[in-house]
Amino acid sequence: MAKRVSLSGNEAVAFGMKQINPDVVAAFPITPSTEVPQYFSQFVANGEVDTEFVAVESEHSAMSACIGAAAAGGRVMTATASAGLALMWEMLYVGASMRLPMVLAVTNRALSGPINIHNDHSDTMGARDSGWIQLYSESAQEAYDNLIQAVKIGEHKDVQLPVMVCYDGFITSHAVENLEMLDDEDVKKFVGEKRIAPFALLGQDPVSMGPLDLPNHYFEHKRLQAEAMKNAKKVILEVAAEYEKLTGRKYGFFEEYKMEDAEVAIVVINSTAGTAKHVVDTLRAQGKKVGLIKIRVFRPFPAEELADALRNVKAVAVMDKADSFSAAGGPLFAEVRSAMYGRVDGKIVINYIYGLGGRDVTTAQIEKVYADLFNAIETGKYEVYNYLGVRE
Amino acid sequence: MGKLVEIRWHGRGGQGAKTASLLLAEVAFNTGKYVQGFPEYGPERMGAPITAYNRISDEPITIHSNIYEPDYVVVVDETLIKSVPVTAGLKEGGAVIVNTSKSPEEIKKELNFNGRVYTIDARKISEETLGAYFPNTPMLAAVVKITGVVPVDVFLSSIEDSFKHKFANKPHVVPKNMEAVKRALEEVKGNE
């Protein structure tokens, strides 16, 4: 029986970790992620989990300890945000390259400088090419659901990759809202009692991992890593189907909201999708054919599927809560436009950078984006690169 | 869509406005509602103005922005009236609930606000029942009564359970907190 609860995003994630009962959690606190290892260390202290909790002196060490434990064959989790993720950078690549399934809960927070503790996606968007699978979450419910699915996705024999579960700092991490939690037993059954590692530092056939890879092998290993990311697409959908059977909650690469007959659409990530759904409902009530696509899986990127979902719209606004300073749009924009090229050409595709450093994202801002899209269709005139809600 | 009630809390760091908003969310959740309770985090420190929010509805809530046009505004510290535009965006037909020893008429003049104004002397109630200044318990009760987001009898049993849980290690304070709640329900007054 699922249990109806009211929890903050961080509480939901910490309780999810408790139900998963990993072998090792190595973590270093950073706002707004701190509560996750804080709550979890209480579970450890109370003997409610079997986990070895490793208190480390930095995030670089946290990820290093996670890699060691995962290489030994353990089921491993950690949490961080912002500068903490940035300090893990070197080791993120090492973990993915060593094909070590781990789950990292990231409360998305702006990167410095200047220091800002609030939400945007510059941290995980920067880590998008580190080789980690990235799942994004609109709400505390989705953060919890993604966390549980992440274990199973990463540990699949055809994947063997680490997974980031991303949710918005403060907006989701610190807001209390309704969600449904699974029974402990159901979670245990879903993720399996123990991780089954096909290769490990310990066990019957111990292997050595990741010491040196010169030109005669490195490229082949990278090619295999890329193949694993491709395999992840199939596995993500399989795991989602199984999760839906258990919970009734449907997950895919992305969520399509009122897209059936939509003329214009917004593509967006995380909590802003919820605010935008509210706007879609308002505009639909006025007879406007608006829709929304919320990206859940950013790595691997569901390029073909996304292009197909945008086949019938006339204009798309891609919303980035991170600037890539490329002078050619944000990271999600680059991916979406590239996915559409050659598959669904002839659309108006524009980009909005929004909400940086926790700038509140209002329904009025989203309404403006939809109005801009209709105006672009009507007049044929529009700017491709836009900033939303900023003082110019 | 079911009726959505939006509440904005103004307080000062350390007074428990955030806690009160989370308590209200919990109380509403316990009666089957969909809830949100969230603070607006700033450079928080004791005494600095802070804002917290509640959304309460019969339907799932997806919107995740701050609240700009609240149905109710709660002012936990009346000195904020001078420095913060507490009634900004308050809906017509909305109401403001202020922790003060002054009358609703006096506060109405200070706020220069035409709608409904309610006052509650949370300091007096808190000090007389709890022996110290914890305004959020009486404020919470006043907010429940004025907003009607939860029936008062349901609130009374729910909050008693919450207190028993929260004060599991010092059960003797539960009756004192319940007295603060009951007095607040009686003593909140308005100028309707």
mmCIF file of all heavy atoms in Angstrom, chain A residues 28-72:
data_model
loop_
_atom_site.group_PDB
_atom_site.id
_atom_site.type_symbol
_atom_site.label_atom_id
_atom_site.label_comp_id
_atom_site.label_asym_id
_atom_site.label_seq_id
_atom_site.Cartn_x
_atom_site.Cartn_y
_atom_site.Cartn_z
ATOM 1 N N PHE A 28 29.271 15.140 1.545
ATOM 2 C CA PHE A 28 29.718 16.366 2.175
ATOM 3 C C PHE A 28 28.585 17.386 2.023
ATOM 4 O O PHE A 28 28.014 17.499 0.952
ATOM 5 C CB PHE A 28 30.988 16.881 1.485
ATOM 6 C CG PHE A 28 31.622 18.041 2.183
ATOM 7 C CD1 PHE A 28 32.483 17.834 3.248
ATOM 8 C CD2 PHE A 28 31.348 19.350 1.787
ATOM 9 C CE1 PHE A 28 33.082 18.903 3.907
ATOM 10 C CE2 PHE A 28 31.931 20.422 2.453
ATOM 11 C CZ PHE A 28 32.801 20.196 3.514
ATOM 12 N N PRO A 29 28.219 18.097 3.078
ATOM 13 C CA PRO A 29 27.024 18.946 2.997
ATOM 14 C C PRO A 29 27.228 20.234 2.196
ATOM 15 O O PRO A 29 28.298 20.822 2.237
ATOM 16 C CB PRO A 29 26.758 19.287 4.470
ATOM 17 C CG PRO A 29 28.098 19.201 5.128
ATOM 18 C CD PRO A 29 28.856 18.132 4.390
ATOM 19 N N ILE A 30 26.197 20.616 1.464
ATOM 20 C CA ILE A 30 26.189 21.931 0.800
ATOM 21 C C ILE A 30 24.733 22.353 0.599
ATOM 22 O O ILE A 30 23.897 21.550 0.175
ATOM 23 C CB ILE A 30 26.965 21.903 -0.548
ATOM 24 C CG1 ILE A 30 26.961 23.294 -1.203
ATOM 25 C CG2 ILE A 30 26.386 20.857 -1.497
ATOM 26 C CD1 ILE A 30 27.959 23.461 -2.327
ATOM 27 N N THR A 31 24.436 23.609 0.877
ATOM 28 C CA THR A 31 23.102 24.173 0.658
ATOM 29 C C THR A 31 22.752 24.080 -0.824
ATOM 30 O O THR A 31 23.620 24.375 -1.644
ATOM 31 C CB THR A 31 23.079 25.659 1.078
ATOM 32 O OG1 THR A 31 23.498 25.735 2.432
ATOM 33 C CG2 THR A 31 21.716 26.284 0.903
ATOM 34 N N PRO A 32 21.548 23.743 -1.205
ATOM 35 C CA PRO A 32 20.384 23.325 -0.410
ATOM 36 C C PRO A 32 20.220 21.806 -0.327
ATOM 37 O O PRO A 32 19.123 21.319 -0.109
ATOM 38 C CB PRO A 32 19.224 23.943 -1.194
ATOM 39 C CG PRO A 32 19.699 24.029 -2.612
ATOM 40 C CD PRO A 32 21.191 24.000 -2.622
ATOM 41 N N SER A 33 21.336 21.097 -0.472
ATOM 42 C CA SER A 33 21.292 19.634 -0.461
ATOM 43 C C SER A 33 21.539 19.068 0.937
ATOM 44 O O SER A 33 21.204 17.918 1.212
ATOM 45 C CB SER A 33 22.356 19.105 -1.442
ATOM 46 O OG SER A 33 22.722 17.793 -1.145
ATOM 47 N N THR A 34 22.089 19.893 1.813
ATOM 48 C CA THR A 34 22.564 19.452 3.136
ATOM 49 C C THR A 34 21.620 18.514 3.868
ATOM 50 O O THR A 34 22.052 17.545 4.483
ATOM 51 C CB THR A 34 22.828 20.691 4.022
ATOM 52 O OG1 THR A 34 23.803 21.498 3.360
ATOM 53 C CG2 THR A 34 23.330 20.305 5.401
ATOM 54 N N GLU A 35 20.317 18.828 3.821
ATOM 55 C CA GLU A 35 19.359 18.017 4.590
ATOM 56 C C GLU A 35 19.391 16.546 4.199
ATOM 57 O O GLU A 35 19.095 15.692 5.037
ATOM 58 C CB GLU A 35 17.933 18.548 4.374
ATOM 59 C CG GLU A 35 17.704 19.892 5.013
ATOM 60 C CD GLU A 35 16.345 20.469 4.631
ATOM 61 O OE1 GLU A 35 15.751 20.007 3.633
ATOM 62 O OE2 GLU A 35 15.875 21.372 5.323
ATOM 63 N N VAL A 36 19.731 16.258 2.944
ATOM 64 C CA VAL A 36 19.686 14.857 2.493
ATOM 65 C C VAL A 36 20.683 14.001 3.283
ATOM 66 O O VAL A 36 20.275 13.045 3.946
ATOM 67 C CB VAL A 36 19.890 14.744 0.961
ATOM 68 C CG1 VAL A 36 19.976 13.288 0.550
ATOM 69 C CG2 VAL A 36 18.774 15.447 0.219
ATOM 70 N N PRO A 37 21.985 14.354 3.263
ATOM 71 C CA PRO A 37 22.904 13.561 4.104
ATOM 72 C C PRO A 37 22.630 13.732 5.602
ATOM 73 O O PRO A 37 22.882 12.804 6.383
ATOM 74 C CB PRO A 37 24.294 14.099 3.736
ATOM 75 C CG PRO A 37 24.073 15.380 3.020
ATOM 76 C CD PRO A 37 22.712 15.306 2.407
ATOM 77 N N GLN A 38 22.077 14.889 5.989
ATOM 78 C CA GLN A 38 21.759 15.111 7.407
ATOM 79 C C GLN A 38 20.695 14.115 7.884
ATOM 80 O O GLN A 38 20.887 13.418 8.875
ATOM 81 C CB GLN A 38 21.273 16.547 7.584
ATOM 82 C CG GLN A 38 20.891 16.908 9.014
ATOM 83 C CD GLN A 38 20.145 18.238 9.074
ATOM 84 O OE1 GLN A 38 20.335 19.100 8.223
ATOM 85 N NE2 GLN A 38 19.283 18.378 10.049
ATOM 86 N N TYR A 39 19.567 14.056 7.149
ATOM 87 C CA TYR A 39 18.520 13.101 7.519
ATOM 88 C C TYR A 39 19.060 11.678 7.432
ATOM 89 O O TYR A 39 18.804 10.844 8.292
ATOM 90 C CB TYR A 39 17.296 13.222 6.602
ATOM 91 C CG TYR A 39 16.557 14.539 6.683
ATOM 92 C CD1 TYR A 39 16.072 15.159 5.529
ATOM 93 C CD2 TYR A 39 16.329 15.154 7.910
ATOM 94 C CE1 TYR A 39 15.389 16.367 5.602
ATOM 95 C CE2 TYR A 39 15.645 16.359 7.980
ATOM 96 C CZ TYR A 39 15.182 16.970 6.825
ATOM 97 O OH TYR A 39 14.517 18.149 6.886
ATOM 98 N N PHE A 40 19.812 11.416 6.345
ATOM 99 C CA PHE A 40 20.255 10.040 6.136
ATOM 100 C C PHE A 40 21.217 9.596 7.235
ATOM 101 O O PHE A 40 21.168 8.445 7.689
ATOM 102 C CB PHE A 40 20.901 9.864 4.751
ATOM 103 C CG PHE A 40 21.070 8.425 4.393
ATOM 104 C CD1 PHE A 40 20.009 7.687 3.901
ATOM 105 C CD2 PHE A 40 22.282 7.776 4.615
ATOM 106 C CE1 PHE A 40 20.145 6.337 3.613
ATOM 107 C CE2 PHE A 40 22.423 6.429 4.330
ATOM 108 C CZ PHE A 40 21.355 5.710 3.825
ATOM 109 N N SER A 41 22.070 10.518 7.692
ATOM 110 C CA SER A 41 23.012 10.140 8.754
ATOM 111 C C SER A 41 22.261 9.818 10.047
ATOM 112 O O SER A 41 22.717 9.008 10.862
ATOM 113 C CB SER A 41 24.047 11.243 8.972
ATOM 114 O OG SER A 41 23.417 12.426 9.396
ATOM 115 N N GLN A 42 21.075 10.434 10.229
ATOM 116 C CA GLN A 42 20.240 10.077 11.384
ATOM 117 C C GLN A 42 19.720 8.641 11.251
ATOM 118 O O GLN A 42 19.706 7.894 12.229
ATOM 119 C CB GLN A 42 19.056 11.038 11.518
ATOM 120 C CG GLN A 42 19.460 12.389 12.085
ATOM 121 C CD GLN A 42 18.332 13.419 11.999
ATOM 122 O OE1 GLN A 42 17.219 13.115 11.576
ATOM 123 N NE2 GLN A 42 18.619 14.643 12.391
ATOM 124 N N PHE A 43 19.316 8.275 10.027
ATOM 125 C CA PHE A 43 18.854 6.894 9.811
ATOM 126 C C PHE A 43 19.986 5.915 10.140
ATOM 127 O O PHE A 43 19.765 4.857 10.704
ATOM 128 C CB PHE A 43 18.392 6.666 8.366
ATOM 129 C CG PHE A 43 17.302 7.603 7.902
ATOM 130 C CD1 PHE A 43 17.255 8.039 6.584
ATOM 131 C CD2 PHE A 43 16.323 8.039 8.786
ATOM 132 C CE1 PHE A 43 16.260 8.895 6.145
ATOM 133 C CE2 PHE A 43 15.319 8.902 8.356
ATOM 134 C CZ PHE A 43 15.298 9.326 7.032
ATOM 135 N N VAL A 44 21.205 6.301 9.740
ATOM 136 C CA VAL A 44 22.369 5.440 10.006
ATOM 137 C C VAL A 44 22.586 5.343 11.518
ATOM 138 O O VAL A 44 22.720 4.252 12.074
ATOM 139 C CB VAL A 44 23.631 5.996 9.312
ATOM 140 C CG1 VAL A 44 24.864 5.167 9.698
ATOM 141 C CG2 VAL A 44 23.440 6.002 7.795
ATOM 142 N N ALA A 45 22.559 6.513 12.181
ATOM 143 C CA ALA A 45 22.802 6.543 13.629
ATOM 144 C C ALA A 45 21.733 5.758 14.389
ATOM 145 O O ALA A 45 22.021 5.129 15.407
ATOM 146 C CB ALA A 45 22.855 7.994 14.114
ATOM 147 N N ASN A 46 20.496 5.787 13.886
ATOM 148 C CA ASN A 46 19.403 5.073 14.553
ATOM 149 C C ASN A 46 19.350 3.591 14.192
ATOM 150 O O ASN A 46 18.445 2.888 14.630
ATOM 151 C CB ASN A 46 18.045 5.713 14.186
ATOM 152 C CG ASN A 46 17.920 7.117 14.737
ATOM 153 O OD1 ASN A 46 18.667 7.490 15.647
ATOM 154 N ND2 ASN A 46 17.000 7.892 14.198
ATOM 155 N N GLY A 47 20.273 3.174 13.331
ATOM 156 C CA GLY A 47 20.280 1.767 12.935
ATOM 157 C C GLY A 47 19.127 1.395 12.025
ATOM 158 O O GLY A 47 18.755 0.220 11.927
ATOM 159 N N GLU A 48 18.533 2.383 11.331
ATOM 160 C CA GLU A 48 17.383 2.092 10.457
ATOM 161 C C GLU A 48 17.816 1.629 9.070
ATOM 162 O O GLU A 48 16.978 1.227 8.266
ATOM 163 C CB GLU A 48 16.491 3.336 10.334
ATOM 164 C CG GLU A 48 15.846 3.726 11.654
ATOM 165 C CD GLU A 48 15.111 5.054 11.564
ATOM 166 O OE1 GLU A 48 13.927 5.024 11.209
ATOM 167 O OE2 GLU A 48 15.729 6.098 11.835
ATOM 168 N N VAL A 49 19.107 1.770 8.773
ATOM 169 C CA VAL A 49 19.652 1.280 7.499
ATOM 170 C C VAL A 49 20.946 0.524 7.807
ATOM 171 O O VAL A 49 21.503 0.655 8.899
ATOM 172 C CB VAL A 49 19.962 2.444 6.515
ATOM 173 C CG1 VAL A 49 18.692 3.058 5.968
ATOM 174 C CG2 VAL A 49 20.830 3.508 7.182
ATOM 175 N N ASP A 50 21.399 -0.246 6.818
ATOM 176 C CA ASP A 50 22.654 -1.007 7.014
ATOM 177 C C ASP A 50 23.847 -0.267 6.428
ATOM 178 O O ASP A 50 24.940 -0.814 6.301
ATOM 179 C CB ASP A 50 22.528 -2.374 6.321
ATOM 180 C CG ASP A 50 21.280 -3.116 6.770
ATOM 181 O OD1 ASP A 50 21.083 -3.199 7.989
ATOM 182 O OD2 ASP A 50 20.505 -3.577 5.906
ATOM 183 N N THR A 51 23.636 0.962 6.018
ATOM 184 C CA THR A 51 24.616 1.703 5.230
ATOM 185 C C THR A 51 25.841 2.106 6.040
ATOM 186 O O THR A 51 25.738 2.513 7.194
ATOM 187 C CB THR A 51 23.942 2.985 4.690
ATOM 188 O OG1 THR A 51 22.721 2.624 4.071
ATOM 189 C CG2 THR A 51 24.839 3.725 3.719
ATOM 190 N N GLU A 52 26.985 2.035 5.383
ATOM 191 C CA GLU A 52 28.213 2.626 5.919
ATOM 192 C C GLU A 52 28.211 4.088 5.472
ATOM 193 O O GLU A 52 28.236 4.381 4.283
ATOM 194 C CB GLU A 52 29.426 1.886 5.330
ATOM 195 C CG GLU A 52 30.770 2.472 5.687
ATOM 196 C CD GLU A 52 31.314 1.925 7.003
ATOM 197 O OE1 GLU A 52 30.912 0.810 7.391
ATOM 198 O OE2 GLU A 52 32.114 2.633 7.640
ATOM 199 N N PHE A 53 28.129 5.017 6.434
ATOM 200 C CA PHE A 53 28.120 6.444 6.093
ATOM 201 C C PHE A 53 29.536 6.981 6.227
ATOM 202 O O PHE A 53 30.140 6.888 7.292
ATOM 203 C CB PHE A 53 27.172 7.201 7.018
ATOM 204 C CG PHE A 53 26.992 8.648 6.632
ATOM 205 C CD1 PHE A 53 26.018 9.030 5.726
ATOM 206 C CD2 PHE A 53 27.822 9.631 7.163
ATOM 207 C CE1 PHE A 53 25.856 10.355 5.362
ATOM 208 C CE2 PHE A 53 27.674 10.965 6.800
ATOM 209 C CZ PHE A 53 26.677 11.321 5.904
ATOM 210 N N VAL A 54 30.065 7.523 5.136
ATOM 211 C CA VAL A 54 31.430 8.047 5.157
ATOM 212 C C VAL A 54 31.356 9.571 5.136
ATOM 213 O O VAL A 54 30.952 10.165 4.137
ATOM 214 C CB VAL A 54 32.253 7.546 3.945
ATOM 215 C CG1 VAL A 54 33.726 7.925 4.119
ATOM 216 C CG2 VAL A 54 32.104 6.046 3.764
ATOM 217 N N ALA A 55 31.726 10.175 6.270
ATOM 218 C CA ALA A 55 31.796 11.642 6.328
ATOM 219 C C ALA A 55 33.159 12.039 5.776
ATOM 220 O O ALA A 55 34.190 11.620 6.308
ATOM 221 C CB ALA A 55 31.621 12.116 7.757
ATOM 222 N N VAL A 56 33.164 12.809 4.715
ATOM 223 C CA VAL A 56 34.422 13.142 4.033
ATOM 224 C C VAL A 56 34.716 14.631 4.178
ATOM 225 O O VAL A 56 33.890 15.380 4.717
ATOM 226 C CB VAL A 56 34.345 12.766 2.541
ATOM 227 C CG1 VAL A 56 34.425 11.265 2.362
ATOM 228 C CG2 VAL A 56 33.082 13.317 1.921
ATOM 229 N N GLU A 57 35.871 15.077 3.666
ATOM 230 C CA GLU A 57 36.265 16.468 3.871
ATOM 231 C C GLU A 57 35.974 17.352 2.659
ATOM 232 O O GLU A 57 36.219 18.546 2.699
ATOM 233 C CB GLU A 57 37.741 16.540 4.279
ATOM 234 C CG GLU A 57 38.752 16.416 3.152
ATOM 235 C CD GLU A 57 38.896 14.999 2.615
ATOM 236 O OE1 GLU A 57 38.144 14.114 3.029
ATOM 237 O OE2 GLU A 57 39.763 14.798 1.749
ATOM 238 N N SER A 58 35.468 16.772 1.575
ATOM 239 C CA SER A 58 35.110 17.589 0.410
ATOM 240 C C SER A 58 34.262 16.749 -0.533
ATOM 241 O O SER A 58 34.172 15.529 -0.380
ATOM 242 C CB SER A 58 36.370 18.046 -0.337
ATOM 243 O OG SER A 58 36.881 16.967 -1.111
ATOM 244 N N GLU A 59 33.680 17.404 -1.517
ATOM 245 C CA GLU A 59 32.874 16.665 -2.490
ATOM 246 C C GLU A 59 33.751 15.832 -3.413
ATOM 247 O O GLU A 59 33.325 14.785 -3.895
ATOM 248 C CB GLU A 59 32.007 17.631 -3.309
ATOM 249 C CG GLU A 59 30.830 18.203 -2.538
ATOM 250 C CD GLU A 59 31.180 19.452 -1.744
ATOM 251 O OE1 GLU A 59 32.375 19.819 -1.693
ATOM 252 O OE2 GLU A 59 30.255 20.076 -1.191
ATOM 253 N N HIS A 60 34.960 16.309 -3.690
ATOM 254 C CA HIS A 60 35.883 15.509 -4.501
ATOM 255 C C HIS A 60 36.116 14.171 -3.805
ATOM 256 O O HIS A 60 36.084 13.103 -4.426
ATOM 257 C CB HIS A 60 37.200 16.278 -4.688
ATOM 258 C CG HIS A 60 38.128 15.657 -5.684
ATOM 259 N ND1 HIS A 60 38.903 14.556 -5.393
ATOM 260 C CD2 HIS A 60 38.400 15.974 -6.984
ATOM 261 C CE1 HIS A 60 39.621 14.231 -6.456
ATOM 262 N NE2 HIS A 60 39.328 15.068 -7.448
ATOM 263 N N SER A 61 36.298 14.248 -2.486
ATOM 264 C CA SER A 61 36.500 13.027 -1.708
ATOM 265 C C SER A 61 35.223 12.205 -1.634
ATOM 266 O O SER A 61 35.266 10.970 -1.631
ATOM 267 C CB SER A 61 36.959 13.372 -0.295
ATOM 268 O OG SER A 61 38.127 14.147 -0.359
ATOM 269 N N ALA A 62 34.072 12.893 -1.546
ATOM 270 C CA ALA A 62 32.801 12.167 -1.481
ATOM 271 C C ALA A 62 32.651 11.294 -2.714
ATOM 272 O O ALA A 62 32.365 10.095 -2.616
ATOM 273 C CB ALA A 62 31.629 13.149 -1.375
ATOM 274 N N MET A 63 32.860 11.894 -3.892
ATOM 275 C CA MET A 63 32.712 11.127 -5.126
ATOM 276 C C MET A 63 33.802 10.051 -5.227
ATOM 277 O O MET A 63 33.536 8.932 -5.667
ATOM 278 C CB MET A 63 32.732 12.075 -6.341
ATOM 279 C CG MET A 63 32.426 11.425 -7.682
ATOM 280 S SD MET A 63 31.059 10.230 -7.705
ATOM 281 C CE MET A 63 29.659 11.251 -7.270
ATOM 282 N N SER A 64 35.010 10.375 -4.752
ATOM 283 C CA SER A 64 36.094 9.383 -4.793
ATOM 284 C C SER A 64 35.739 8.177 -3.928
ATOM 285 O O SER A 64 35.936 7.030 -4.335
ATOM 286 C CB SER A 64 37.405 10.000 -4.306
ATOM 287 O OG SER A 64 37.746 11.097 -5.120
ATOM 288 N N ALA A 65 35.209 8.438 -2.732
ATOM 289 C CA ALA A 65 34.832 7.336 -1.836
ATOM 290 C C ALA A 65 33.698 6.528 -2.448
ATOM 291 O O ALA A 65 33.675 5.294 -2.347
ATOM 292 C CB ALA A 65 34.424 7.891 -0.471
ATOM 293 N N CYS A 66 32.755 7.217 -3.094
ATOM 294 C CA CYS A 66 31.648 6.522 -3.761
ATOM 295 C C CYS A 66 32.192 5.609 -4.858
ATOM 296 O O CYS A 66 31.748 4.469 -5.015
ATOM 297 C CB CYS A 66 30.664 7.523 -4.367
ATOM 298 S SG CYS A 66 29.633 8.325 -3.132
ATOM 299 N N ILE A 67 33.148 6.129 -5.618
ATOM 300 C CA ILE A 67 33.731 5.348 -6.718
ATOM 301 C C ILE A 67 34.424 4.104 -6.159
ATOM 302 O O ILE A 67 34.236 2.991 -6.675
ATOM 303 C CB ILE A 67 34.711 6.226 -7.535
ATOM 304 C CG1 ILE A 67 33.901 7.234 -8.373
ATOM 305 C CG2 ILE A 67 35.619 5.379 -8.417
ATOM 306 C CD1 ILE A 67 34.737 8.305 -9.042
ATOM 307 N N GLY A 68 35.183 4.275 -5.089
ATOM 308 C CA GLY A 68 35.859 3.133 -4.475
ATOM 309 C C GLY A 68 34.860 2.074 -4.034
ATOM 310 O O GLY A 68 35.026 0.882 -4.312
ATOM 311 N N ALA A 69 33.793 2.534 -3.374
ATOM 312 C CA ALA A 69 32.797 1.589 -2.854
ATOM 313 C C ALA A 69 32.043 0.903 -3.993
ATOM 314 O O ALA A 69 31.746 -0.289 -3.927
ATOM 315 C CB ALA A 69 31.820 2.325 -1.936
ATOM 316 N N ALA A 70 31.738 1.672 -5.049
ATOM 317 C CA ALA A 70 31.029 1.086 -6.193
ATOM 318 C C ALA A 70 31.941 0.114 -6.932
ATOM 319 O O ALA A 70 31.498 -0.936 -7.398
ATOM 320 C CB ALA A 70 30.526 2.180 -7.130
ATOM 321 N N ALA A 71 33.227 0.446 -7.026
ATOM 322 C CA ALA A 71 34.181 -0.446 -7.695
ATOM 323 C C ALA A 71 34.331 -1.751 -6.915
ATOM 324 O O ALA A 71 34.584 -2.809 -7.488
ATOM 325 C CB ALA A 71 35.531 0.246 -7.850
ATOM 326 N N ALA A 72 34.138 -1.667 -5.604
ATOM 327 C CA ALA A 72 34.200 -2.875 -4.778
ATOM 328 C C ALA A 72 32.936 -3.718 -4.950
ATOM 329 O O ALA A 72 32.872 -4.842 -4.445
ATOM 330 C CB ALA A 72 34.385 -2.490 -3.314
#
